[in-house]
Amino acid sequence: SFFNRGSSIDIKSNAVDFTAIALPPNAPADFNGAVGELEMTVLADRTSLRTNEAVELSVKLSGRSNLKLLDAPKLDFPSDLENYDPKVVDKINVTSGGMTGSREFQYTLIPRHEGRYELGTMKFSYFDTRSGAYRSLESQPLVLDVAPGEGGPTAQIPRSTKSDVVALGEDI
């Protein structure tokens, strides 16, 4: 056929030996498989804002690890804070020594009511390959102070009503 010109070639790579070890028992409850040497930075682009204004919360994990496999930390936000799935920003280098760099999770939060929102500390656990033990990283407590927005203390987002919708036709 067109793709088989009558000859085949066997190709082999050099053999690679490695030793895999099991992770020790008693992992922290928030451990999700991260292995390596990591640092965590948690920042909000501002902590004072008005209702219905967005704030960006960034959780950045950096170091030498299986960065591409890291999932976003599970964060428990107050119900008055509308939140969206995080945007993931990778700055990862892959070399013969492994993966290094950072994976950043950027959360958009929108407070719907005025008040003081105590988000507490962010936690992340991983297995430290240098020490051979589990480590937990914890941020400083984060507090958002939300003042009344335009239109009073509980400004509403304008929504279209049925009277705003006009039928342009009856067919598909």
Side-chain angles (χ1 to χ4, degrees):
S1 75
F2 178 77
F3 294 104
N4 185 1
R5 303 266 175 168
S7 62
S8 64
I9 299 173
D10 290 331
I11 300 175
K12 296 181 181 179
S13 67
N14 297 333
V16 176
D17 292 327
F18 68 93
T19 304
I21 58 171
L23 292 172
N26 303 323
D30 64 334
F31 176 72
N32 66 1
V35 175
E37 300 158 18
L38 290 167
E39 294 179 2
M40 179 175 69
T41 307
V42 177
L43 297 171
D45 64 346
R46 57 194 166 145
T47 57
S48 295
L49 61 155
R50 296 183 175 278
T51 56
N52 299 319
E53 291 180 347
V55 61
E56 185 175 289
L57 176 67
S58 167
V59 178
K60 184 176 186 179
L61 299 166
S62 56
R64 189 181 65 82
S65 176
N66 51 348
L67 294 167
K68 290 184 180 181
L69 301 178
L70 297 183
D71 291 329
K74 304 289 186 232
L75 304 179
D76 188 25
F77 297 112
S79 60
D80 283 353
L81 277 181
E82 189 172 323
N83 61 80
Y84 300 92
D85 290 336
K87 174 183 170 186
V88 179
V89 178
D90 287 334
K91 293 182 182 172
I92 299 172
N93 297 316
V94 180
T95 65
S96 60
M99 278 187 236
T100 60
S102 67
R103 176 165 262 199
E104 183 176 359
F105 302 96
Q106 298 173 347
Y107 296 85
T108 299
L109 308 174
I110 303 173
R112 294 302 182 195
H113 299 95
E114 66 180 287
R116 184 175 173 89
Y117 294 89
E118 295 185 16
L119 302 181
T121 60
M122 311 296 168
K123 296 180 183 179
F124 184 83
S125 294
Y126 70 99
F127 181 75
D128 188 339
T129 53
R130 274 204 182 142
S131 67
Y134 292 102
R135 289 195 56 212
S136 292
L137 303 173
E138 191 169 332
S139 72
Q140 295 295 317
L142 187 62
V143 176
L144 298 178
D145 290 311
V146 180
E150 302 232 354
T154 56
Q156 297 294 319
I157 297 174
R159 301 192 190 280
S160 62
T161 63
K162 190 167 184 159
S163 63
D164 295 338
V165 178
V166 177
L168 297 177
E170 297 295 322
D171 63 345
I172 295 177

